[in-house]
Amino acid sequence: MNPEQDYVDYFYEKYEGRIAIGVGYDQSLSEIYPFVFEETTGRAIGIVALSVYTHENIPQVHIYHMGSFKSHRGNGTKILEELCLQADKHQIVLSLSPIFMPNGKSIPMSDECLREWYGRFGFQGTSQFKRNPVKM
């Protein structure tokens, strides 16, 4: 095993609620399924889909999908804080493509606003964002 796969396994084992819909394919063309992300109380607040990804010969974990069930309540922040905390503990690079996906209920977020939000967590980039781990 490697730290990136250990990180992905940590989340898929901790949150057993796999959603029966694929959100993408990894480099080996295996379908990626999201899992239900829960607060410490067990309340479901969103979904996340992760997989190990190699970009420019650097292994990392790519966040293929992340979304909260109810917008503007801080749940996306809670989810991303936990993803970043565990990335720091495992000392792995996270990557993602910041694309807003409307849910038909919330006011759409501009691309710039979304990039700034991810930037608050240390993500940087243009079309693909990357976050290096913080030394613990």
Side-chain angles (χ1 to χ4, degrees), residues 73-108:
R73 297 186 181 185
N75 292 332
T77 296
K78 289 178 187 176
I79 293 167
L80 197 52
E81 284 174 344
E82 179 66 13
L83 293 174
C84 292
L85 174 68
Q86 292 302 323
D88 294 343
K89 286 182 180 178
H90 287 83
Q91 287 296 288
I92 60 145
V93 174
L94 291 177
S95 64
L96 55 84
S97 297
I99 300 169
F100 178 77
M101 299 184 77
N103 63 8
K105 296 178 184 179
S106 299
I107 299 169

Side-chain angles (χ1 to χ4, degrees), residues 28-57:
S28 64
L29 297 179
S30 297
E31 197 163 9
I32 299 163
Y33 297 95
F35 59 86
V36 175
F37 192 97
E38 301 171 350
E39 288 183 309
T40 55
T41 62
R43 184 175 72 96
I45 61 171
I47 62 172
V48 177
L50 308 168
S51 185
V52 176
Y53 176 78
T54 302
H55 181 69
E56 297 176 350
N57 293 323

Side-chain angles (χ1 to χ4, degrees), residues 77 80 113-123:
T77 296
L80 197 52
C113 188
L114 186 60
R115 286 187 191 102
E116 287 175 11
W117 184 74
Y118 280 115
R120 293 192 332 236
F121 297 91
F123 285 89

